Amino acid sequence: MLPVVPRQAAGSSARVQEGLLGFSPPRAAAEREAERRFLAGIDTARMSATHRAVTAHPHIAGSARSMAVAGTLQAALQEAGQTDPRYGLSTPRSIAVEIVSPIARPICR
């Protein structure tokens, strides 16, 4: 999929640089500065290395490779300073398969 970027009319570049749709001029300057700081903090080499590690092998849920991927992602989050538990990765404590109808019975615990 390719992004669609509208062309600017001739002579409109100065006008486009001044404003930012949805922002007053002072807030537009603050928004552009916030975006500049955000983009300056992105390490594309580290992002690519993490992506390569995660996609190097199939990682079926619950498998040893799945757990290795979870460890890789957890380490990447911690290196980036993300320690908020809401972004933690879950690990199942138990796995069970049951038939629930017409007669309930466990298949695997």
Side-chain angles (χ1 to χ4, degrees):
M1 179 184 311
L2 296 174
V4 176
V5 180
R7 291 188 334 176
Q8 296 178 12
S12 68
S13 62
R15 184 174 47 81
V16 171
Q17 293 300 320
E18 289 173 6
L20 185 60
L21 185 61
F23 292 88
S24 67
R27 295 305 307 156
E31 175 64 19
R32 290 198 190 282
E33 175 59 19
E35 290 176 10
R36 185 199 62 73
R37 286 192 322 269
F38 173 77
L39 292 173
I42 294 174
D43 183 346
T44 56
R46 188 169 71 184
M47 188 184 302
S48 293
T50 301
H51 183 260
R52 273 191 302 279
V54 167
T55 60
H57 303 284
H59 44 276
I60 298 167
S63 68
R65 284 215 171 126
S66 174
M67 296 307 293
V69 165
T72 298
L73 293 176
Q74 190 69 44
L77 287 169
Q78 289 173 346
E79 285 176 25
Q82 186 52 262
T83 57
D84 189 324
R86 291 177 297 167
Y87 300 107
L89 303 168
S90 62
T91 303
R93 293 190 180 116
S94 65
I95 299 172
V97 180
E98 299 177 359
I99 293 177
V100 295
S101 180
I103 300 170
R105 65 184 170 115
I107 294 177
C108 175
R109 289 197 190 261

